[in-house]
Amino acid sequence: MKIAPTPLTAALAGMFTGVVMPWLWPRLGDDTLYWIAAFLLVIALPAHAFVVGFARPPGDSGLARRVVAWLAAAIAMVALRQALPL
């Protein structure tokens, strides 16, 4: 599977994380297995696939930009969700 990570894909992954994780957080309960599964599916998998990538060229210098885009988009979505009464 060749997914070429870009700042846009990183931002989209951050938006997904920023929307889904706050919605999912109160519904997980106290079961540790649910927390692990949620973290892997909502944070780790999108971050790895769309920020780090599976087919990364050697000497990739854009990783820091993609990580910043991912985090900024996630924080922006959480802030937007808090600002809008849904």
Side-chain angles (χ1 to χ4, degrees):
M1 174 186 306
K2 290 190 177 191
I3 296 175
T6 65
L8 178 62
T9 61
L12 291 174
M15 289 171 64
F16 172 77
T17 300
V19 169
V20 174
M21 199 60 191
W23 175 81
L24 194 60
W25 189 282
R27 292 166 174 76
L28 291 175
D30 293 332
D31 192 0
T32 305
L33 186 60
Y34 291 145
W35 282 95
I36 293 170
F39 179 82
L40 289 174
L41 293 175
V42 176
I43 296 173
L45 182 64
H48 182 72
F50 299 110
V51 178
V52 178
F54 293 118
R56 207 171 53 151
D60 186 13
S61 62
L63 180 61
R65 274 184 290 161
R66 292 192 306 268
V67 168
V68 168
W70 177 64
L71 289 174
I75 291 169
M77 292 308 293
V78 170
L80 182 65
R81 189 170 186 268
Q82 292 295 321
L84 298 175
L86 297 176

